[in-house]
């Protein structure tokens, strides 16, 4: 577990931003990440778990356990990020989070969309399935351009539940 005030949060945000660098997603800073996760208004704080290799932070996840309708306890993994060659970092963090979530009597674990196909494959290998839910992105252009902006190419998007947290 990493404290939100640790200087290593900066390293985690670097990994997080680079893991989605080829797609349109939020550019995180240590302060924006802390603001978003350290003290949420709607329930328990999020935890940041990280993995290290030879002392170097190589990946991490952000998660928490919440209770919802009918007293269902759910572990919700909001972010998974790792250096491109370090999928084991994601696996180790997920295993640690799963252990902690189950210790808190959660009945289900949700992992919201990962930022890249490499992480997605690692999640599938661990048994995470795909939800049948779909989302519609509404885009309103505010100026005219001669070519379609990247926002019109949905393959370029990483829709982040982090900005629209219902958990």
């Amino acid at each position: 577990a990493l404290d939100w005030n640790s200087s290593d949060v900066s390293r985690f945000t670097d990994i997080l931003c680079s893991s989605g660098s080829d797609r349109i997603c939020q550019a995180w800073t240590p302060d924006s990440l802390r603001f978003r996760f350290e003290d949420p208004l709607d329930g328990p704080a999020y935890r940041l778990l990280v993995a290290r290799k030879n002392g170097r932070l190589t990946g991490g996840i952000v998660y928490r356990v919440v209770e919802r309708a009918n007293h269902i306890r759910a572990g919700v993994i909001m972010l998974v990020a790792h250096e491109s060659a370090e999928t084991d970092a994601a696996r180790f963090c997920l295993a640690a989070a799963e252990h902690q979530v189950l210790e808190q009597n959660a009945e289900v674990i949700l992992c919201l969309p990962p930022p890249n196909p490499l992480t997605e494959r690692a999640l599938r290998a661990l048994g995470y399935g795909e939800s049948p839910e779909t989302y519609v992105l509404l885009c309103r252009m505010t100026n005219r351009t001669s070519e379609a902006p990247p926002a019109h190419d949905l393959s370029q998007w990483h829709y982040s539940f982090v900005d629209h947290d219902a958990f």
Side-chain angles (χ1 to χ4, degrees):
L2 189 65
D3 185 273
W4 286 109
N5 293 313
S6 168
S7 60
D8 280 338
V9 171
S10 178
R11 173 77 183 124
F12 179 70
T13 57
D14 290 345
I15 293 170
L16 184 59
C17 290
S18 69
S19 69
S21 63
D22 60 338
R23 303 176 90 185
I24 299 170
C25 57
Q26 178 158 325
W28 291 99
T29 66
D31 287 339
S32 66
L33 199 70
R34 286 182 191 106
F35 180 79
R36 170 64 183 87
F37 290 114
E38 189 174 22
D39 191 23
L41 299 174
D42 64 341
Y46 289 91
R47 300 200 62 203
L48 173 56
L49 297 180
V50 298
R52 297 179 190 279
K53 185 174 186 178
N54 299 324
R56 177 179 164 80
L57 195 151
T58 57
I61 67 170
V62 175
Y63 82 98
R64 73 175 173 174
V65 174
V66 295
E67 188 169 311
R68 290 300 180 242
N70 299 326
H71 305 288
I72 293 175
R73 293 181 60 79
V76 181
I77 299 169
M78 296 297 289
L79 294 172
V80 178
H82 56 84
E83 291 180 336
S84 62
E86 298 294 341
T87 54
D88 282 346
R91 289 186 189 104
F92 293 137
C93 289
L94 285 162
E98 288 170 3
H99 179 75
Q100 292 175 15
V101 164
L102 294 175
E103 280 186 339
Q104 295 179 53
N105 298 315
E107 299 162 270
V108 64
I109 300 174
L110 305 172
C111 184
L112 301 173
N116 62 52
L118 188 62
T119 306
E120 189 171 348
R121 284 192 298 276
L123 288 167
R124 297 273 182 266
L126 292 170
Y128 284 83
E130 186 172 330
S131 169
E133 295 174 289
T134 57
Y135 297 87
V136 176
L137 173 66
L138 300 176
C139 181
R140 178 179 176 264
M141 298 309 298
T142 57
N143 63 358
R144 295 180 189 257
T145 60
S146 59
E147 60 184 71
H152 283 221
D153 180 0
L154 293 181
S155 70
Q156 297 297 310
W157 276 89
H158 167 61
Y159 180 82
S160 175
F161 281 85
V162 171
D163 296 321
H164 306 282
D165 178 13
F167 298 102

